[in-house]
Amino acid sequence: MNALEFIRKMPKAELHLHLEGTVSPQTLWKMARKNHVPLPVGTLKELSALYEFESFDKFLKLWQAMCRCFKTEADYAFMVENFAKTCARQNIRYAELHFTPFNHEKFAIGGKRALNAVTKKLESLEKRGGPVTRLIIDIPAEGGKKAGEYTTRLLEAEKNPLIVAIGLGGPEAGFPRKDFAEYFRRAREAGYFCVAHAGETEGAHHVQEAVLDLKARRIQHGVRAVESKKVLDLLKTHNICCDVAVTSNLCLKVFKKIEQHPLKRLLKAQIPLTLNTDDPPFFNTDIEREYERAYLELGITLKDLWEMNLNGLRFGLAETALRRSLMEEFKENAPA
Ligand SMILES: [Zn+2]
């Protein structure tokens, strides 16, 4: 079996994927037309062109325009169904999905209603054979204290076992991770795990804050930890996994060229890693492409790629018994 076939056949786990970020231009176009929501462009072709990113700011504006297109529970179910189709196509068996109720409170049908629609659909998928999913509820950093308070209260009142962690998303620049420490403390007290975006558009100090101030068990991105030996040591000592998304980093100009991407350096520093898409259609990627790029363009061995894939189960936040049974399934179905 050649390497690309191996990658295609692997049963896969993905930990860093935003549910709203799985909405393709085609899906968004259909939703906007159905719900009579004006978009900043007149054709599907122009909308697809908007998905080409120059900056995080432009990315955020499109993201918010997208949130405005959700008008009914059925729209959320439609998003989840489309996500499930991409999982089936790529053999994704376990996914941790970031979801941001605050944005749906602000721009759509209400955060709680949106969350209920999403969990209902995800539960039914799991009952029908998968993919198995768990949710990370993100505070959007740009929403500041208001978003922190809203999200934490929602989590404190929530009892759905599908929801496993609090996260921190949105922009990094101008939003120190430590400013959200109080919300993360409350979420921990309510029984949730903590994860956070850090070390993508800001440097290693943000990774340090995510670990020490937010007690993050995993870091989304974390790639700029390579800027500090001290922070690399911190990640290694605490056995913190970084959920890396190579194409996302390139699209958002964290690194100009793939040769500059520090995936191999992080691997050499013995930091546990997973490979991810972040927001696949927004970055014109999918999980197979991420593995292929790591293999073909970054020279990561198939053995290391397979271990990164299994890290998705080792460092995933679902119940231990579930992760262990998925681990068995993965090993049984590992491509020879
Ligand atoms: Zn992300």
Side-chain angles (χ1 to χ4, degrees), residues 16-18 98 197 220-221 278-279:
H16 178 183
L17 176 64
H18 299 262
H98 290 257
H197 282 68
Q220 282 73 57
H221 298 297
D278 206 359
D279 308 287

Side-chain angles (χ1 to χ4, degrees), residues 19 73 76-77 79-80 97 99 101 111-127 133-137 158-164:
L19 186 53
E73 270 86 354
Y76 291 88
M79 167 174 67
V80 173
L97 295 161
F99 188 63
K112 175 72 184 151
R113 249 179 93 191
L115 183 60
N116 286 347
V118 163
T119 49
K120 205 171 143 200
K121 194 71 196 170
L122 291 174
E123 278 161 359
S124 85
L125 278 181
E126 190 168 331
K127 279 190 195 128
T133 52
R134 292 295 179 265
L135 282 170
I136 296 164
I137 301 303
E158 194 51 67
K159 290 189 182 69
N160 193 310
L162 228 61
I163 303 166
V164 291

Side-chain angles (χ1 to χ4, degrees), residues 28 55-56 82 97 109-111 136 154 193 202 205 217 223 237 247 264 267:
L28 180 57
S55 68
F56 198 87
N82 283 309
L97 295 161
I109 67 167
I136 296 164
L154 185 76
F193 293 110
E202 276 291 315
H205 64 287
R217 299 265 302 243
V223 283
T237 314
T247 302
K264 219 170 191 173
L267 201 62

Side-chain angles (χ1 to χ4, degrees), residues 66-86:
M66 180 187 64
C67 286
R68 288 192 179 91
C69 291
F70 289 95
K71 293 290 179 199
T72 65
E73 270 86 354
D75 294 331
Y76 291 88
F78 183 55
M79 167 174 67
V80 173
E81 272 163 24
N82 283 309
F83 155 73
K85 279 183 199 158
T86 66

Side-chain angles (χ1 to χ4, degrees), residues 45 82 116 119 138 154 170 186 189 197 239 250 321:
K45 202 174 162 201
N82 283 309
N116 286 347
T119 49
D138 274 358
L154 185 76
R186 278 168 54 192
E189 230 160 67
H197 282 68
N239 201 28
L250 294 167

